[in-house]
Amino acid sequence: MALMDITISSSFLPVDDPEASLAFYRDVLGFEVRGDVGQGTMRWITVGPPGQPTTSIVLHPPAVDPGITDDERAVIAEMMAKGTFAGINLAAADLDAAFERVQASGVDVVQEPMDQAWGARDFAVRDPAGNSVRVSQA
């Protein structure tokens, strides 16, 4: 069987305050804005790390799919508020500097930098929408 050449193009994270999320991903994490369509809370904002033009995160309104019921929307909102609905894992060349910058922004710190039993060194925060953002040492 031939080896497939598949890469990660984009990942999606729900956001309930596009401006706050944009400020976090652009101003705190340093991501580039690659697209911004829609308006108000109905915006899809595409961001990504500089130097990696083919890898993006799409910040999108939660539960806008017409197939989602009102009960499901309520569950999604509840899970986002608890920080259990969505997340992303990132990597930083200088974990301590990244943590200092993220912590200084005032986001909710879930775990300060620490060595994990499985060998990684990482920290975890919640973005303005409650999404789990875990950053490990690259």
Side-chain angles (χ1 to χ4, degrees):
M1 181 178 275
L3 183 64
M4 296 180 66
D5 184 14
I6 297 176
T7 60
I8 296 172
S9 174
S10 57
S11 179
F12 288 74
L13 288 178
V15 299
D16 49 11
D17 182 340
E19 285 300 322
S21 294
L22 176 60
F24 175 74
Y25 286 94
R26 179 192 60 208
D27 303 337
V28 177
L29 295 184
F31 285 2
E32 302 170 329
V33 177
R34 302 198 176 136
D36 189 344
V37 298
Q39 58 188 352
T41 58
M42 295 299 285
R43 284 170 69 189
W44 285 256
I45 304 168
T46 304
V47 297
Q52 297 180 45
T54 61
T55 303
S56 299
I57 300 170
V58 180
L59 307 173
H60 68 90
V64 295
D65 186 312
I68 295 177
T69 67
D70 288 342
D71 287 344
E72 291 167 332
R73 281 186 183 85
V75 169
I76 290 169
E78 182 180 318
M79 291 179 71
M80 284 178 67
K82 291 189 335 186
T84 58
F85 187 68
I88 193 160
N89 291 357
L90 306 172
D94 185 340
L95 189 72
D96 294 313
F99 179 72
E100 286 177 22
R101 181 176 175 137
V102 170
Q103 184 181 38
S105 77
V107 297
D108 182 19
V109 174
V110 176
Q111 173 211 302
E112 293 190 2
M114 66 179 284
D115 295 324
Q116 300 291 354
W118 58 88
R121 183 164 188 272
D122 66 3
F123 69 83
V125 298
R126 287 197 180 116
D127 75 5
N131 297 308
S132 170
V133 178
R134 185 166 287 278
V135 183
S136 63
Q137 180 75 44

